[in-house]
Structures are given as structure tokens and as C-alpha cells.
């Protein structure tokens, strides 16, 4: 099935698009469609010339849907990357998790270590070589049966961070085949209930504060549709 590219905002400095579930932001494999290539093709179709510069400022895991920010100049890339690094940009996610947190709002801090060979990350003790401090804030928006809808503010950008920290906290993301123990033996294609739904940045040229929001389309968000309409 061919995925249609959704560009939500574009000017001379930057571009924001909605990455579908299952599409990698970038791919090293021949024949595998990726978001950056889709954007380049769309811009070429519009202008008739190749893009001189295009670089993703941050990435999303392949199974995750949501907003991705691209810089269209080297100057914008430096500015936007710095906003991500110093936390002046805001990256917010919606997640549906198993069970219920006791605290309605909390900051989670763990040390995560990446296993590049197996494309996996895990929580380790402080001081272990390769372990990096990883922090996020969650807020419970609604509870429905055995699931909770969370808004998550990502404070650091580690490999698979939200998925690992939610699982470690005892509330893995619904249908996360990598980190949810109840899904790890499933062979069918599953979409984790995780969406990068809100992005706050300062425009690198005009300095205007910009906010972008998208509505998640994953099936497990449906039971929280009334709550999502209020966001």
C-alpha cells in the first residue's frame, strides 16, 4: 500500500510532516520507502529541481506515527537542533498503556543503554558504561478499563526511550511488540499505541513560536476519542 505524504507546514527554512506508522524516517535498505525520500520526491515534483538541503532534526521509531521536523537550510538545522538539545523545543506524545499509574503526573528518570546490534535498549544501573540519563514527564489524561491514555513530554531523546521507560515502569505501551511482554510472541504486524502528536518550536528565522498538532489514528486511541477531542 502506497502511503500518502502529509505536509503540515512548509516555508524556506523548515518543513513539518506527519509520518505514518511503519515508515522509517530514513532507510539504508534498497527498495524500502522512507520519509525523507518521500519528502524529497514531493518537493522535486513541486519545483522540478532537486532539494539543495534537507535534513531531519529529530527521528521517530519506524512503528510510531507522528510529527517529524525537517530543516531546509544548514542554518535552520543548527538552530533547530540546538532547540532540541537545550529543551527549548517541546516534543509531546500520546500513549495508551497497560494498567494504571498510581500517580496522575510524574517525572520518570532512568539510565538507558542501547544495544545497537539487536536494535534494543534497556534500563541499567547508574554508572554502567553506556548508560545515559533518560527523562520524561507523563500526565494521565483518562483511564478506560485496563488502559490509560497518557500525555508524555520527552525531556531527553534516547533510543526507544518512551517504550523502554513505560515497560520498565510496569505499564508497557499497548501492542508494542518489542517491549510489551504480552505482545512479544505475536507475528502479525502491530502498531504500538504511541503518537508524536504535538511539537513546539521557535521559528529559526522569524523567531515566532510555532505549535503543530496532529490527531492519532491508531486503533487503540479510539476508546479515548472524546478526551482527545478536547486537546
Amino acid at each position: 500500500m502506497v502511503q500518502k505524504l502529509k505536509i503540515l507546514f512548509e516555508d524556506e527554512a523548515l518543513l513539518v510532516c506527519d509520518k505514518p506508522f511503519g515508515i522509517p524516517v530514513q532507510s539504508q535498505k534498497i527498495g524500502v520507502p522512507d520519509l525523507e525520500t518521500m519528502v524529497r520526491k514531493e518537493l522535486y515534483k513541486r519545483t522540478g529541481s532537486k532539494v539543495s538541503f534537507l535534513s531531519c532534526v529529530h527521528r521517530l521509531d519506524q512503528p510510531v506515527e507522528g510529527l517529524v521536523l525537517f530543516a531546509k537550510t544548514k542554518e535552520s538545522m543548527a538552530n533547530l537542533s540546538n532547540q532540541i538539545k537545550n529543551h527549548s523545543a517541546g516534543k509531546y506524545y500520546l500513549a495508551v498503556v497497560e494498567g494504571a499509574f498510581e500517580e496522575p503526573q510524574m517525572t520518570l528518570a532512568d539510565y538507558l543503554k542501547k544495544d545497537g546490534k539487536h536494535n534494543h535498549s534497556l534500563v541499567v544501573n547508574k554508572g554502567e558504561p553506556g548508560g545515559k540519563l533518560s527523562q520524561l514527564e507523563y500526565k494521565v489524561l483518562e483511564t478506560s478499563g485496563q488502559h490509560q491514555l497518557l500525555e508524555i513530554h520527552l525531556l531527553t531523546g534516547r533510543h526507544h526511550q518512551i517504550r523502554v521507560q513505560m515497560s520498565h515502569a510496569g505499564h508497557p505501551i499497548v501492542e508494542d511488540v518489542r517491549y510489551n511482554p504480552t505482545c512479544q510472541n505475536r507475528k502479525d504486524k502491530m502498531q504500538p499505541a504511541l503518537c508524536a502528536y504535538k511539537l513546539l518550536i521557535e521559528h529559526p528565522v522569524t523567531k515566532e513560536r510555532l505549535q503543530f498538532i496532529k490527531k492519532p489514528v491508531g486503533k487503540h486511541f479510539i476508546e479515548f476519542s472524546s478526551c482527545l477531542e478536547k486537546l
Side-chain angles (χ1 to χ4, degrees):
M1 181 178 176
V2 177
Q3 298 275 12
K4 185 177 180 181
L5 179 65
K6 297 179 183 177
I7 295 178
L8 306 182
F9 177 88
E10 181 194 356
D11 65 8
E12 295 300 316
L14 61 91
L15 180 149
V16 178
C17 62
D18 181 359
K19 186 186 87 66
F21 151 70
I23 298 292
V25 173
Q26 295 174 318
S27 178
Q28 304 263 330
K29 298 179 181 178
I30 298 174
V32 176
D34 64 81
L35 188 66
E36 185 171 310
T37 300
M38 292 168 68
V39 172
R40 287 182 180 275
K41 287 182 177 179
E42 176 63 24
L43 297 182
Y44 178 80
K45 185 168 66 175
R46 292 183 184 183
T47 64
S49 59
K50 290 185 178 180
V51 179
S52 59
F53 184 90
L54 184 73
S55 181
C56 57
V57 180
H58 65 103
R59 292 169 174 78
L60 289 183
D61 299 342
Q62 182 171 340
V64 178
E65 62 170 307
L67 301 172
V68 177
L69 173 64
F70 286 89
K72 294 178 67 179
T73 68
K74 292 180 180 180
E75 294 77 14
S76 293
M77 182 63 185
N79 181 287
L80 294 167
S81 295
N82 190 55
Q83 290 185 48
I84 298 292
K85 185 177 181 180
N86 65 24
H87 311 307
S88 60
K91 295 189 292 181
Y92 293 82
Y93 293 70
L94 293 170
V96 180
V97 299
E98 307 274 7
F101 280 98
E102 293 183 3
E103 296 292 335
Q105 190 168 350
M106 191 175 179
T107 298
L108 299 183
D110 299 290
Y111 285 84
L112 267 60
K113 181 177 181 178
K114 180 180 177 180
D115 178 355
K117 182 178 179 181
H118 299 98
N119 191 31
H120 192 88
S121 288
L122 68 158
V123 174
V124 297
N125 293 325
K126 181 180 179 180
E128 180 167 330
K132 296 181 178 180
L133 178 62
S134 306
Q135 295 176 299
L136 60 79
E137 297 172 340
Y138 78 79
K139 179 170 66 175
V140 177
L141 300 180
E142 188 176 8
T143 301
S144 176
Q146 299 300 311
H147 296 156
Q148 274 187 332
L149 175 67
L150 308 181
E151 180 186 65
I152 297 171
H153 180 201
L154 198 58
L155 301 178
T156 54
R158 310 303 183 199
H159 179 255
H160 293 176
Q161 181 182 334
I162 296 175
R163 299 160 67 191
V164 176
Q165 287 195 273
M166 288 296 110
S167 181
H168 182 71
H171 302 288
I173 292 171
V174 173
E175 290 204 3
D176 183 357
V177 294
R178 186 172 292 274
Y179 297 104
N180 187 333
T182 64
C183 303
Q184 288 175 349
N185 294 323
R186 295 276 295 271
K187 301 298 182 182
D188 52 321
K189 194 172 184 179
M190 303 175 75
Q191 179 177 358
L194 181 62
C195 172
Y197 93 105
K198 183 165 68 173
L199 179 65
L200 302 173
I201 61 169
E202 180 186 88
H203 194 282
V205 178
T206 68
K207 306 306 177 184
E208 179 185 1
R209 195 67 178 169
L210 302 177
Q211 174 176 280
F212 305 98
I213 294 179
K214 74 143 283 173
K215 183 178 179 181
V217 298
K219 63 182 180 181
H220 289 285
F221 289 102
I222 295 175
E223 63 181 308
F224 300 101
S225 56
S226 59
C227 178
L228 292 173
E229 289 296 331
K230 301 174 184 177
L231 294 178

